[in-house]
Amino acid sequence: MEQVGIVVIGAGCVGAAVAYALRNSGREVFVLERAPRPCMGMSSRNSGVVHAGIYYPKESLKTRLCRRGNRLLHEFAPKHGVPFEKVGKYIVAHDAAACATLEQLYQHNLGAVPLEWRTAEQVPNGVHCRKALFSPTTAIIDQDSLVNKLLEESGAELLLHQEVTSVTAEENGVILTINGETCRASWVFNCGGLDSDQLCNHTTHFYARGVYFQIKPPPGIQLPHLVYPAVPKERETLGIHLTCNLAGEWYLGPDIEWIDTPSYGVDPNRADAFYRAAVTYLPWLERNMLQPGYAGVRAKRSRHHFSDFLFHREGRLVHCLGIESPGLTAAMAIGEMLAADCIA
Ligand SMILES: Cc1cc2nc3c(=O)[nH]c(=O)nc-3n(C[C@H](O)[C@H](O)[C@H](O)COP(=O)(O)OP(=O)(O)OC[C@H]3O[C@@H](n4cnc5c(N)ncnc54)[C@H](O)[C@@H]3O)c2cc1C
């Protein structure tokens, strides 16, 4: 049986970041991707936001890895020419309940993540609110460029059209089946995104689709790149928010819909709910400005409760599970953490 070095399954942002973090391990690293090119999964179907890490429970992996990942991306992206803009984000409140939510968010992050108060007059004129919090460390990034640059800088060998169908941990190694062939690796990192659970008996993912609608703000409307509504902590999403990507396209989204099988259609009828949610903070918005955009599917570990990222280890086999938002932001910190284990 062929013996190889370290295998990373999946060329999304997490797999690419794990490969990058292993660049100084002194071992050969292979990234196996079943698709024809990298970054075709969750990593390309999201808001492209580099989050500050302000929403999740304080002691969670999501908080720790998001905050660390945010710092790592602020260093990596400018240094390696990955399109990235430190645009900041407004979290806006338009009634008393939402103002109370903002206050809780502010207290939750006190001393850990910078958040600045803004009055209604201090937010750009296209946005309506009673008051807002501004997060200066939130940014936007080009996901595709990030994944490709991480892979390039990693020095790993990227092998496309390679599907891993089984992994079994044994003493000091892992047996894999790749496109029907069996080999043995010294370590395996399962970064298969939505499908990472299929190589692991420990967890089953639930699929939560989120769709986006594109809008074109009318001339004269001045908008910040990112506007999020203040939503109570117990809600399962960050609310229908406004994003502008690095190509200058504006989107509203995502919502949440539980589905049995991943699929990426955008039902135009969902626009009504998007309009009702967004017009509270974008008062100039008209229903006919919303055009179907794109969809993404989150890999969630629970339908009901907050669920954290999970790194399930069986000897030298590590499964990355439930890597939904803020996984793009956290990716480099996940890579750093997992590689440290393996190199140690
Ligand atoms: C709607 C939505 C909005 C989001 N917004 C944000 C955001 O703004 N900011 C943020 O930080 N995060 C966000 N996220 C989360 C973020 O997109 C994900 O956490 C992140 O992209 C996960 O990356 P990944 O590498 O684990 O998965 P993926 O990008 O899905 O990569 C997994 C790869 O593994 C490959 N693969 C799977 N199984 C196998 C196999 N058996 N053999 C070979 N290859 C395999 C797949 O083809 C795929 O290329 C959002 C997610 C969604 C769905």
Side-chain angles (χ1 to χ4, degrees):
M1 191 186 309
E2 195 185 350
Q3 170 79 39
V4 297
I6 303 174
V7 168
V8 177
I9 303 170
C13 60
V14 175
V18 169
Y20 176 76
L22 288 165
R23 70 196 179 285
N24 297 324
S25 65
R27 306 186 210 184
E28 54 176 3
V29 179
F30 297 91
V31 179
L32 306 184
E33 170 57 58
R34 67 183 174 198
R37 61 177 180 80
C39 199
M40 291 188 75
M42 254 190 291
S43 301
S44 63
R45 295 176 166 275
N46 54 44
S47 303
V49 176
V50 176
H51 289 295
I54 58 184
Y55 294 99
Y56 316 103
K58 278 186 185 160
E59 305 307 323
S60 63
L61 282 169
K62 281 189 176 177
T63 292
R64 182 159 68 80
L65 294 169
C66 180
R67 290 178 182 173
R68 173 75 184 145
N70 176 298
R71 283 196 292 277
L72 291 171
L73 285 175
H74 273 75
E75 287 164 23
F76 182 87
K79 185 170 168 195
H80 295 283
V82 174
F84 173 89
E85 241 183 278
K86 201 173 157 182
V87 293
K89 146 172 142 178
Y90 289 87
I91 312 167
V92 296
H94 63 276
D95 61 18
C99 287
T101 298
L102 278 192
E103 184 60 42
Q104 281 171 6
L105 205 55
Y106 182 76
Q107 294 300 334
H108 181 72
N109 288 283
L110 207 57
V113 176
L115 283 175
E116 301 161 7
W117 285 107
R118 295 282 191 269
T119 62
E121 294 71 38
Q122 288 170 323
V123 298
N125 69 14
V127 180
H128 166 78
C129 64
R130 271 205 210 174
K131 61 179 179 175
L133 280 174
F134 180 69
S135 159
T137 54
T138 302
I140 52 176
I141 194 162
D142 183 277
Q143 308 94 316
D144 203 55
S145 306
L146 172 67
V147 170
N148 282 296
K149 187 49 90 175
L150 284 167
L151 288 169
E152 186 186 317
E153 292 293 320
S154 73
E157 189 164 346
L158 171 66
L159 300 170
L160 301 170
H161 302 286
Q162 304 293 313
E163 178 154 30
V164 178
T165 47
S166 75
V167 280
T168 311
E170 55 166 33
E171 207 181 339
N172 295 326
V174 182
I175 307 287
L176 303 102
T177 310
I178 308 159
N179 290 350
E181 304 280 334
T182 306
C183 73
R184 188 172 190 281
S186 58
W187 278 83
V188 171
F189 294 92
N190 170 11
C191 309
L194 275 186
D195 291 341
S196 62
D197 61 333
Q198 293 181 14
L199 294 173
C200 168
N201 294 326
H202 187 76
T203 296
T204 301
H205 285 152
F206 298 99
Y207 303 126
R209 180 166 54 200
V211 303
Y212 293 81
F213 282 83
Q214 190 168 11
I215 57 167
K216 289 195 172 55
I221 293 291
Q222 185 206 341
L223 286 177
H225 282 70
L226 301 173
V227 185
Y228 283 59
V231 292
K233 272 213 301 256
E234 53 280 8
R235 286 264 294 275
E236 54 203 346
T237 72
L238 304 184
I240 303 288
H241 48 260
L242 173 75
T243 60
C244 178
N245 63 22
L246 285 148
E249 297 164 335
W250 296 91
Y251 288 95
L252 292 171
D255 60 354
I256 185 161
E257 179 191 7
W258 296 104
I259 52 175
D260 294 330
T261 313
S263 63
Y264 297 94
V266 179
D267 174 2
N269 295 319
R270 297 182 87 80
D272 289 335
F274 276 64
Y275 169 72
R276 283 195 302 276
V279 78
T280 58
Y281 58 88
L282 303 176
W284 44 266
L285 190 69
E286 289 172 21
R287 166 69 181 77
N288 62 12
M289 289 177 185
L290 278 69
Q291 299 298 325
Y294 62 97
V297 179
R298 309 165 183 91
K300 285 193 172 274
R301 292 180 46 234
S302 167
R303 279 184 180 229
H304 307 293
H305 312 289
F306 166 79
S307 59
D308 210 350
F309 298 153
L310 176 69
F311 303 98
H312 178 69
R313 189 166 159 181
E314 299 163 17
R316 292 178 167 203
L317 168 61
V318 185
H319 300 281
C320 302
L321 299 159
I323 313 295
E324 47 146 346
S325 194
L328 173 68
T329 310
M332 289 191 70
I334 294 174
E336 187 181 69
M337 179 184 77
L338 297 185
D341 255 14
C342 161
I343 295 166

